[in-house]
Structures are given as C-alpha cells and as structure tokens.
Amino acid sequence: MTAAPLLASPLSELAQALEAGNLTSEKLVASAIEAYRASDDNSYIQWCPEQALALAKASDRARKAGAFTGPLMGLPVSVKDLFGVPGLPIHAGCARPLPERWQAAGPVIKALSAQLAPVMGKTHCVELAFPSSTDRSVNH
C-alpha cells in the first residue's frame, strides 16, 4: 500500500490494523515521512522524522511483547507549537523561542507519550494562539 491511501485510512482502522499485527507503527510513520517529503507542505515548524521513527519502533517492540498503552499506541501525531514537547523548542508563533520551562510536557503530551504515539513534529500557530484583531470571525 502506498503512503497516500494508507494515511487516508480512518484512525480506527489504522489502530485495528496495528493491534491485529497487520500493520506496524514503523511502516505507518515511514509512510508519513515519505508523504511529507514528497509534498510541498510547510506546516511544520519542527519536523522530527528520526525521533518519530525511533518511537514507532519502540511502540512495535512493546506491542510485540504484549503491551498495550492505549488507543493511540503507535499512531503518528502532530501537535501545534503551542504544546511543550521535551527536547523541542517552543515558539508558540513568536519569533524567538519561549523560555525553556515552557518545553515541559503538559497533560496532552504526557498522555501521547504514555501511549507511545510518535510525534512527527510541531505545526505552526498564530502568535501565542491569539486570533488576529482583523479576524472577522472573532468580531461577530
């Protein structure tokens, strides 16, 4: 199966295929890496394919040993650059990185990590997640 059709599958089907052993997290993450590299997408401020692939392999090893860490186990995810991910600078849409203490994982990232969900990277966000004052949708 090529990257595009595999990645277009519903998450529930991907999770079932992982659980049944018909798919590995490593293959799923490799497909996401392939698809991203083949595109002109620039939505990531931090792109971490090696880190994601390492976590995918760890997820596959854990699953093979009989572990189940949760419904997101082995499923690749992306997070906004509003979330602290240890080892990755956080800009939250600002020109400069925020202080290091903001890199600490909060509840969402801790839950993803506990479930061995590989983080592919961090996507751009507007400055400090504040909507623009010219955004008409917030003025209505």
Side-chain angles (χ1 to χ4, degrees):
M1 188 180 284
T2 61
L6 179 62
L7 297 175
S9 301
L11 287 177
S12 59
E13 287 180 17
L14 294 173
Q16 288 171 353
L18 286 168
E19 190 172 343
N22 299 327
L23 176 64
T24 65
S25 181
E26 181 178 3
K27 180 176 179 170
L28 190 53
V29 168
S31 295
I33 293 169
E34 175 188 332
Y36 184 71
R37 288 183 176 155
S39 74
D40 60 356
D41 188 349
N42 67 351
S43 57
Y44 286 97
I45 188 169
Q46 303 283 324
W47 171 239
C48 315
E50 294 83 15
Q51 180 179 322
L53 201 51
L55 191 54
K57 290 176 183 180
S59 173
D60 289 337
R61 284 191 303 274
R63 192 180 297 276
K64 191 172 183 178
F68 179 71
T69 59
L72 297 177
M73 182 179 188
L75 291 172
V77 298
S78 297
V79 297
K80 284 284 189 195
D81 186 36
L82 190 59
F83 293 94
V85 176
L88 297 179
I90 182 171
H91 288 78
C94 299
R96 294 187 194 152
L98 297 182
E100 191 172 324
R101 69 179 181 274
W102 287 88
Q103 290 182 34
V108 171
I109 300 304
K110 285 179 181 177
L112 291 171
S113 296
Q115 291 192 41
L116 299 176
V119 175
M120 300 300 301
K122 295 172 78 178
T123 58
H124 293 275
C125 74
V126 297
E127 190 170 16
L128 301 173
F130 288 126
S132 168
S133 61
T134 60
D135 184 352
R136 298 183 70 72
S137 64
V138 298
N139 295 326
H140 291 125

